[in-house]
Amino acid sequence: MAKNYFNRYVWLLNTIQTHGYITLAQINEQWMESPLNEDGTPLAERTFHNHKEAIRDTFGIDIKFDKSRGYFLNDSSFDGEGSSESIYEWLLAALSVNNTIREAGDLRGRILFEKIPDGQMYLNSITTAMRVGKALEISYERQIGEKPEILEICPYCLKVCDQHWYLLALVRGRENPEIFALDRVRGTRQLHRNFKVPKGFDAGKFFDSRYGVNADPEGTAVEDVVLRVWGVQRENFKLHPLHKSQFTVVENTESEDESEKWAIFSYRMACDPELERKLLSLNDSVEIFEPASLRRAIIGHASSIIDLYGGTSNYPEDKYEPMMSRKGWWKKILQK
């Protein structure tokens, strides 16, 4: 019965989220068509309010009522900078998917999933240590197949990136926090030693200027990054910004050929190795205008790939170096 109620809570959250505003009568219409309603009875008002209270206690999400429009999810339940980064938004999205799949049981075999990344089994022990302020001993396999290291760490924060869990933690005896991939953790043990997160530490700000989860101990400088993005990727960037600081500088959509359309986006972010790997994965859909150091790094990677496959890169540094040394050189190219 408890499991059935949990599914009802998820269904109710998903229903209200989908409609934005919805009356109790409309909720009942949806309930009568739901596979969860096994006996085909209406959702009693008292039962609805019981569910509403249970959702607040269980998930921390308030369902509010507006006399003119009906029930809705209270925005103040979603804390953090931007609702898309809120833990409640993330939770609600996960619950909604769970509910949709449960209701689509007759489509098994036609809805495919990726394997859930390893490491989530340690989330409970890590979050417990974070909550009570206790150090952890972890067994960590830095390279696949190598003997795991035994490390004593102070867990600062957790972050999801590209469907993988990462932990930012300080190893005892070291000065700067490091990133640990949870799918390489082989075991955890809570220790008796207490620890405190440094005063003023803000997990959001720590990763604010980074593309991914890089934690450079020297600190990577934040720079102006300017990219020209071509074709289909142009629309993808607009729909899914590369970074929260993304700003559209100019867009050229005059050509009828989609591959010839482009847009220039600017950012304020750190040019770390993860950003380089992301840009490399986009091949010739993205051209880097600034900074020159990032452009040179990508050219270097591309040259190595050409050489690997038996080609000859012959990158003409004397041709491009003087041009790239002048900030905003790419603007003159666009005017031609």
Side-chain angles (χ1 to χ4, degrees):
M1 180 61 70
K3 182 177 180 180
N4 185 46
Y5 275 130
F6 181 85
N7 293 338
R8 287 189 179 196
Y9 305 155
V10 173
W11 174 88
L12 184 55
L13 280 170
N14 187 42
T15 300
I16 298 175
Q17 182 196 34
T18 300
H19 288 79
Y21 288 87
I22 187 171
T23 65
L24 184 56
Q26 291 171 325
I27 291 174
N28 242 315
E29 290 177 6
Q30 298 290 316
W31 174 245
M32 294 302 292
E33 297 178 357
S34 172
L36 295 177
N37 187 4
E38 297 177 355
D39 54 5
T41 57
L43 184 66
E45 184 173 356
R46 181 177 179 179
T47 301
F48 166 76
H49 286 291
N50 288 339
H51 288 357
K52 187 163 69 75
E53 294 302 313
I55 287 172
R56 185 185 62 188
D57 294 340
T58 304
F59 304 117
I61 299 175
D62 282 332
I63 298 174
K64 295 293 187 179
F65 180 71
D66 182 277
K67 290 183 178 180
S68 60
R69 293 186 286 182
Y71 292 94
F72 64 98
L73 301 185
N74 185 21
D75 289 340
S76 64
S77 297
F78 307 114
D79 56 3
E81 182 180 354
S83 60
S84 63
E85 295 181 5
S86 160
I87 187 171
Y88 292 114
E89 280 266 333
W90 189 77
L91 171 64
L92 187 55
L95 293 174
S96 296
V97 170
N98 176 72
N99 181 72
T100 300
I101 299 306
R102 285 182 178 275
E103 290 197 331
D106 56 335
L107 296 179
R108 288 181 180 177
R110 295 171 61 189
I111 301 177
L112 308 178
F113 295 90
E114 291 183 346
K115 179 180 180 294
I116 297 175
D118 295 330
Q120 74 276 0
M121 68 181 71
Y122 301 112
L123 283 175
N124 186 58
S125 60
I126 292 172
T127 54
T128 298
M130 290 168 61
R131 185 170 58 253
V132 300
K134 295 291 185 180
L136 272 178
E137 182 182 86
I138 65 170
S139 175
Y140 192 69
E141 187 177 14
R142 290 193 182 273
Q143 299 294 331
I144 302 300
E146 289 187 358
K147 183 178 179 180
E149 298 178 70
I150 305 299
L151 302 169
E152 183 177 330
I153 65 169
C154 301
Y156 283 8
C157 70
L158 288 160
K159 180 178 174 64
V160 178
C161 184
D162 293 334
Q163 297 183 328
H164 289 271
W165 281 100
Y166 294 91
L167 170 68
L168 179 69
L170 180 67
V171 178
R172 188 174 188 180
R174 300 179 187 175
E175 295 183 3
N176 299 292
E178 303 172 29
I179 290 291
F180 297 92
L182 261 60
D183 56 4
R184 296 193 179 187
V185 174
R186 300 294 174 254
T188 65
R189 181 171 68 90
Q190 184 173 303
L191 304 177
H192 295 294
R193 185 170 70 88
N194 296 323
F195 84 93
K196 289 185 178 181
V197 176
K199 187 176 182 180
F201 173 78
D202 187 309
K205 290 182 178 179
F206 183 89
F207 290 103
D208 198 46
S209 63
R210 293 164 168 82
Y211 166 71
V213 290
N214 182 57
D216 183 357
E218 300 300 325
T220 305
V222 176
E223 302 181 72
D224 290 322
V225 177
V226 182
L227 308 175
R228 175 157 60 172
V229 184
W230 299 86
V232 176
Q233 284 297 344
R234 173 183 62 89
E235 290 296 329
N236 289 339
F237 268 56
K238 291 167 65 177
L239 189 61
H240 305 289
L242 181 69
H243 185 259
K244 62 186 293 184
S245 64
Q246 179 169 299
F247 173 75
T248 303
V249 178
V250 64
E251 194 168 4
N252 183 349
T253 59
E254 295 178 359
S255 175
E256 294 183 1
D257 185 348
E258 181 62 34
S259 65
E260 294 297 323
K261 297 178 182 179
W262 52 264
I264 294 178
F265 302 103
S266 67
Y267 308 85
R268 284 290 295 170
M269 60 194 303
C271 298
D272 55 32
E274 290 207 37
L275 177 60
E276 291 181 18
R277 284 192 287 271
K278 174 61 178 180
L279 296 177
L280 278 170
S281 72
L282 296 171
N283 300 313
D284 60 353
S285 296
V286 175
E287 179 183 6
I288 300 163
F289 284 161
E290 292 180 11
S293 58
L294 180 59
R295 185 179 175 98
R296 282 193 294 268
I298 297 301
I299 290 174
H301 291 306
S303 297
S304 298
I305 293 172
I306 292 173
D307 293 340
L308 178 65
Y309 284 92
T312 303
S313 56
N314 294 326
Y315 166 53
E317 294 187 13
D318 58 334
K319 178 180 179 181
Y320 292 103
E321 284 296 330
M323 183 187 300
M324 289 190 294
S325 65
R326 297 192 298 272
K327 189 173 180 62
W329 59 270
W330 49 273
K331 295 179 182 178
K332 295 183 178 180
I333 294 179
L334 297 177
Q335 294 171 357
K336 293 181 180 179

